[in-house]
Amino acid sequence: MSRAFTKRNFIAASLLVVVLTAGLARMYWPLLARPAEMKFFGYLDAWVYTGPSLFYGDRVESGGEFPFWNPYVFCGQPIAGNPQYLLFYPPNVVRSFLTPGPTPWNTNAGVVVLLYLHALWAGAGTYFLGRTHGFSRLAALFAGVIFVFSAPYTQRLFLHHHLIFVVSWLPWNCALL
């Protein structure tokens, strides 16, 4: 490996991070800028179901136990078998335990940070997938940006958080296969 090759990869990766950070910050900032007007990130299911459910999970986990049942949704609902709760998803478990004093705003901020990190992960995975298929650095960079800002990705971002957590691993899995 030559020194220029390593430097070019670093520059391309840095450019990807800067572009994704600028775009995602523009997309997420209004949702966190006004805590008094805060709604859970997203709309429809994410706002009225997933967000409050994640807050309930954070509240129970702050007491040192896993919430296997939510008595406040649909006259009681199992959490362990529902993928929208992300109970056993390691990044969500870390997010939940790192949430300081669970409040709806803290849970929302943690979910936004987790979604942002997953978007960076998806963009980096798409870049890596493009490079493994022989794309130029610029083409792979554009593929990463286009994947993260595509209509299906952003629609799931605002509607179904749990699908974003799954989809962000897709380019990495495809590259490894």
Side-chain angles (χ1 to χ4, degrees), residues 102-168:
T103 64
W105 194 88
N106 288 344
T107 297
N108 193 43
V111 168
V112 168
V113 167
L114 194 61
L115 288 168
Y116 169 75
L117 292 174
H118 276 76
L120 285 177
W121 183 248
T126 306
Y127 175 81
F128 180 71
L129 177 64
R131 293 297 293 154
T132 59
H133 282 285
F135 288 14
S136 69
R137 289 176 187 86
L138 187 61
L141 179 70
F142 280 129
V145 171
I146 288 168
F147 177 67
V148 172
F149 290 105
S150 67
Y153 191 91
T154 54
Q155 180 189 16
R156 276 19 172 227
L157 184 71
F158 288 103
L159 255 178
H160 302 287
H161 303 148
H162 60 285
L163 294 178
I164 289 298
F165 300 133
V166 172
V167 169
S168 66

Side-chain angles (χ1 to χ4, degrees), residues 11-157:
I11 290 171
S14 298
L15 186 59
L16 176 67
V17 169
V18 166
V19 169
L20 285 177
T21 299
L24 293 171
R26 174 67 182 112
M27 192 171 11
Y28 293 138
W29 179 251
L31 300 165
L32 293 175
R34 297 178 301 273
E37 302 170 14
M38 192 274 305
K39 297 179 181 176
F40 281 103
F41 178 71
Y43 56 94
L44 299 176
D45 282 352
W47 183 51
V48 298
Y49 178 73
T50 308
S53 298
L54 288 172
F55 166 63
Y56 173 75
D58 288 353
R59 211 179 78 213
V60 172
E61 286 180 26
S62 70
E65 59 185 72
F66 274 111
F68 294 109
W69 184 263
N70 186 349
Y72 301 113
V73 175
F74 303 129
C75 297
Q77 179 183 48
I79 293 176
N82 189 339
Q84 292 184 4
Y85 280 96
L86 307 165
L87 181 64
F88 299 112
Y89 183 54
N92 187 57
V93 172
V94 170
R95 180 210 54 83
S96 185
F97 280 117
L98 291 178
T99 300
T103 64
W105 194 88
N106 288 344
T107 297
N108 193 43
V111 168
V112 168
V113 167
L114 194 61
L115 288 168
Y116 169 75
L117 292 174
H118 276 76
L120 285 177
W121 183 248
T126 306
Y127 175 81
F128 180 71
L129 177 64
R131 293 297 293 154
T132 59
H133 282 285
F135 288 14
S136 69
R137 289 176 187 86
L138 187 61
L141 179 70
F142 280 129
V145 171
I146 288 168
F147 177 67
V148 172
F149 290 105
S150 67
Y153 191 91
T154 54
Q155 180 189 16
R156 276 19 172 227
L157 184 71

